[in-house]
């Protein structure tokens, strides 16, 4: 169906209203689990910004009100975020959530864990002393990158730990690469979070199949 056609809009609305893309994502992961591809070990947590059109030269004469601006480094971005939880062994995305761009990554945490993790891995944006104490109390590995003390230098041991964590975390970039490079999803396709959320569930489901295609065909 051509983009923007009445049939395509109706079909997308149906998928969104009944959360069918969420169900598709769940079914794909259940299929992978049935094939022996683990989804229940450690979890890598991360988020990426999906740009949205910032122009007001449209029918509404305004930017999408459900998108927002956020600063990353020295640059400003307008759009939404995709937050994912990725199986540390297989690299399969087992959890997905979406927010407007200004929501801090650390605010989406519990939604990305399946609850049976023996380890979690994330960048400095997810630092939380309370979560660390709770997680390590259960004898699990807290692989969240260390921060240097305010106004001071990082201890050499923490710097070494960060290098180890970074090497483990590298796998979390693979699903994002597939979505943005292989599938070409670098900008939102619709107005509003709900429609774009529905599309992201479809893309990450297909991305999991793409990443595991060799194992599935073996």
């Amino acid at each position: 169906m051509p983009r923007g056609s009445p049939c395509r809009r109706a079909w997308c609305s149906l998928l969104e209203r009944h959360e069918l893309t969420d169900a598709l994502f769940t079914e794909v992961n259940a299929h992978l689990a049935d094939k022996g591809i683990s989804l229940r070990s450690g979890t890598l947590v991360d988020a990426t910004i999906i740009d949205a059109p910032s122009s007001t030269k449209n029918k509404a004469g305004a930017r999408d009100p459900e998108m927002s601006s956020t600063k990353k480094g020295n640059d400003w971005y307008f759009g939404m975020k995709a937050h994912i939880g990725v199986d540390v062994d297989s690299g399969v995305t087992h959890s997905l959530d979406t927010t407007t761009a200004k929501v801090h990554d650390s605010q989406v945490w519990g939604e990305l864990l399946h609850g049976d993790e023996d380890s979690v891995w994330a960048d400095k944006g997810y630092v939380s002393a309370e979560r660390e104490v709770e997680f390590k109390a259960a004898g699990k590995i807290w692989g969240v990158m260390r921060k240097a003390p305010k106004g001071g230098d990082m201890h050499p041991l923490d710097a070494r730990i960060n290098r180890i964590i970074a090497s483990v975390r590298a796998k979390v970039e693979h699903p994002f690469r597939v979505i943005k490079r292989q599938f070409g999803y670098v900008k939102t396709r619709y107005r509003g979070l709900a429609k774009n959320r529905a599309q992201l569930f479809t893309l990450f489901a297909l991305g999991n199949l793409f990443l595991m295609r060799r194992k599935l065909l073996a």
Side-chain angles (χ1 to χ4, degrees):
M1 287 180 284
R3 184 179 297 178
S5 69
C7 287
R8 179 165 179 163
R9 286 198 299 271
W11 176 244
C12 290
S13 179
L14 181 68
L15 292 173
E16 174 194 342
R17 186 166 60 251
H18 295 285
E19 297 184 344
L20 297 179
T21 59
D22 300 50
L24 172 66
F25 178 79
T26 300
E27 285 300 314
V28 165
N29 283 349
H31 173 69
L32 293 176
D34 288 343
K35 294 295 183 181
I37 297 172
S38 173
L39 300 174
R40 292 287 173 180
S41 57
T43 291
L44 308 162
V45 174
D46 205 357
T48 192
I49 299 168
I50 308 293
D51 291 330
S54 58
S55 173
T56 58
K57 295 179 180 179
N58 50 53
K59 189 176 181 179
R63 300 195 302 179
D64 188 336
E66 295 186 27
M67 304 295 164
S68 61
S69 297
T70 188
K71 190 175 184 181
K72 186 175 181 180
N74 295 320
D75 298 318
W76 283 92
Y77 299 88
F78 178 76
M80 63 181 292
K81 282 184 179 179
H83 308 260
I84 61 173
V86 174
D87 182 70
V88 72
D89 291 331
S90 65
V92 166
T93 302
H94 61 68
S95 303
L96 169 65
D97 202 0
T98 58
T99 66
T100 189
K102 67 181 180 181
V103 173
H104 194 275
D105 296 354
S106 63
Q107 292 182 285
V108 183
W109 176 261
E111 295 85 347
L112 304 180
L113 306 181
H114 52 65
D116 294 325
E117 283 86 1
D118 51 24
S119 63
V120 290
W121 309 83
D123 64 27
K124 297 174 185 178
Y126 297 90
V127 167
S128 168
E130 182 180 350
R131 287 173 180 161
E132 180 178 0
V133 169
E134 182 181 355
F135 200 79
K136 289 171 71 173
K140 301 177 181 180
I141 299 172
W142 179 257
V144 176
M145 296 186 77
R146 276 56 170 169
K147 282 184 176 180
K150 193 172 182 179
D153 296 326
M154 181 172 288
H155 190 281
L157 178 59
D158 285 334
R160 182 180 178 186
I161 290 171
N162 277 355
R163 287 193 293 273
I164 295 170
I165 293 172
S167 66
V168 176
R169 283 193 63 250
K171 193 178 288 186
V172 79
E173 297 298 333
H174 297 176
F176 290 142
R177 187 196 66 229
V178 170
I179 300 304
K180 293 186 175 184
R181 300 291 175 256
Q182 269 72 27
F183 297 166
Y185 190 82
V186 293
K187 282 187 177 292
T188 59
R189 305 282 172 83
Y190 307 101
R191 287 178 69 83
L193 285 173
K195 286 183 173 60
N196 288 294
R197 175 185 173 88
Q199 185 169 36
L200 279 167
F201 269 95
T202 301
L203 291 172
F204 276 98
L206 295 174
N208 282 343
L209 293 174
F210 180 85
L211 286 169
M212 295 296 107
R213 65 193 184 281
R214 291 188 176 88
K215 289 187 177 180
L216 290 171
L217 291 172

